[in-house]
Amino acid sequence: LIKRTPAPSILLSCVQSARPATMSMHSPQEWHQHTGFNMGQAQTTQGRALRQNDTSHRSHHETHNENIGRYNTLGGALEQKIADSSRLVDGLQRRSESLENSVQKTQHSLAMLHAAHQAKDPQIQLCLWRLSRREKRPLREQVRDPAEILLEQEKATLIETQKKLGDAMKRTEFTIRDLEDKLQEVRHDIDHKTQALGIDQTCLRTTARSHQTAHEQGRPGTQVPGGTVAGAVPSHRGVNPRLTHHETSRNEGNRHTEAVRLGHSGGAKEEKAKMLRDENNALIQRCQKAADDVAAKTERGLQDRIDENQGCRNRLSNEIAETRAKIDHTKETMAETRAQIRALEEPTDNAATCASFRRQRATREHVHDPVSTRIQEHQMSTHRAHQELLAHHAEEKANLQDLNERLERLKDDLRDKTGALHVDGDCLTHQAGHHTLNMPFSNPHDSHGTLRGRRHDQTYMARSSMQHIGKSNLGAIAGSTF
């Protein structure tokens, strides 16, 4: 076991508590020790203060030199920034003037497209009238027949030409807006760079004055042993110079790159606008030629459709006659079937009567003999024949109803085709200016070199073949078959 010795402070407190109250509290040795401790602490503090004063004086010189160095660096950066901004503003100003010229030329091309687009309206109105007239055909006849395909091809060609012109107008309008947006972006960037250039120039003048003031007022009065280099920036002060230089250089490089990109993008849009203007001129010529090439095809298609319709009407008339013959024959068969059904009533009643009589036999004689078998067989045979005849009669009745329905459909089809024949003949013999649309070529005295004149000069084959089919006797022709 280790015997623990009481601490001196504890022993001193015990001794002090055991002394009388009139005795001194400290011994001479303690008094000397306390005084020596205080002097040692004072000397330590004096040494620390001396070292701090030296450090502070050195920091004063370093701060002054760093300030001067930062002023020099800032002045050089501002001068370089002003020179770069001036060069960028000059380049963007030239691009702005070039964009304004491109906008004016593209607007003139848009006006030409608009005039060509309006020039297609008369031909489109004539084609749309013919299509709307054919839409009044009976619903059964509203099919995409060859004549309809040709009409739709004519319509599609005319509409496509106008659509192409309209699309070109939209592209041109979009290009104009794009050029104007780019022009606005360039002007906006010029304004920003001009404003930033003015601020940088102000900062350069302010920095020069502040540099002179700081150099005169901030020079330290105490010299530091070893000295420092005026204008030098200590490597251990401030932020990381390499990181800061890298970031600022990258930002300035991005600024230059963005300005160059803005100028190049403006030039690319101008080149694109020039190509679009050339395409617009070629498109106007192609659309006019395409509209002239499709005008004559529709009339030939209508004549072919009329001939086909007349042939189909003849076949329908023959089919109606044959269907009526089948209806008469079916009615005769149904009458004969009903007679055969009525003829089975007598044997059926006879078999039932005999069976009823034989059930009245005496009990000893009431047996199932051959006569009973023959009566039962006769009943079953007549019942089976009756069922078969009923089934035949129902099928004949269904066939008759189907034949009648087919006959009505054939009649309706013939009537519809007669109405469609009249509509196609009306479309074929129709001349420009006879419809309700306001056509610019409706002058009857100017019949040469216009669409109306070409139609008026031609004597269509359909006109000679349709002279005997007028509006008054089309219904009679159709009704004579019924």
Side-chain angles (χ1 to χ4, degrees), residues 3 18 70 77 111 131 160 233 250 257 383 422 424 437 476 479-480:
K3 184 177 181 180
R70 298 296 183 187
L131 287 171
E160 183 66 19
V233 180
R250 183 181 59 187
T257 302
H383 178 73
H422 170 69
D424 289 337
L437 296 178
S480 62

Side-chain angles (χ1 to χ4, degrees), residues 369-413:
D369 53 8
V371 175
S372 299
T373 301
R374 296 296 179 267
I375 292 174
Q376 186 176 6
E377 290 177 352
H378 195 188
Q379 287 178 330
M380 293 176 61
S381 175
T382 56
H383 178 73
R384 182 174 60 255
H386 186 265
Q387 294 298 323
E388 290 178 355
L389 289 174
L390 288 177
H392 289 312
H393 182 70
E395 186 67 24
E396 292 163 358
K397 186 177 180 180
N399 290 335
L400 179 61
Q401 182 178 0
D402 192 14
L403 287 172
N404 287 325
E405 291 177 357
R406 297 300 175 184
L407 178 62
E408 293 300 323
R409 293 180 182 178
L410 290 173
K411 290 179 180 179
D412 292 340
D413 195 6

Side-chain angles (χ1 to χ4, degrees), residues 283-298:
L283 177 64
I284 292 173
Q285 298 177 0
R286 289 197 307 270
C287 289
Q288 184 60 42
K289 184 178 183 301
D292 294 337
D293 290 342
V294 297
K297 294 181 180 179
T298 301

Side-chain angles (χ1 to χ4, degrees), residues 118-133:
Q118 288 183 335
K120 297 295 181 293
D121 286 339
Q123 293 176 332
I124 291 177
Q125 289 176 5
L126 178 60
C127 182
L128 290 177
W129 181 88
R130 288 183 170 180
L131 287 171
S132 64
R133 184 69 182 91

Side-chain angles (χ1 to χ4, degrees), residues 254-272:
N254 292 339
R255 177 173 173 268
H256 284 243
T257 302
E258 181 64 22
V260 173
R261 184 204 61 79
L262 184 60
H264 288 173
S265 63
K269 291 185 182 300
E270 289 187 54
E271 185 65 24
K272 182 180 178 181

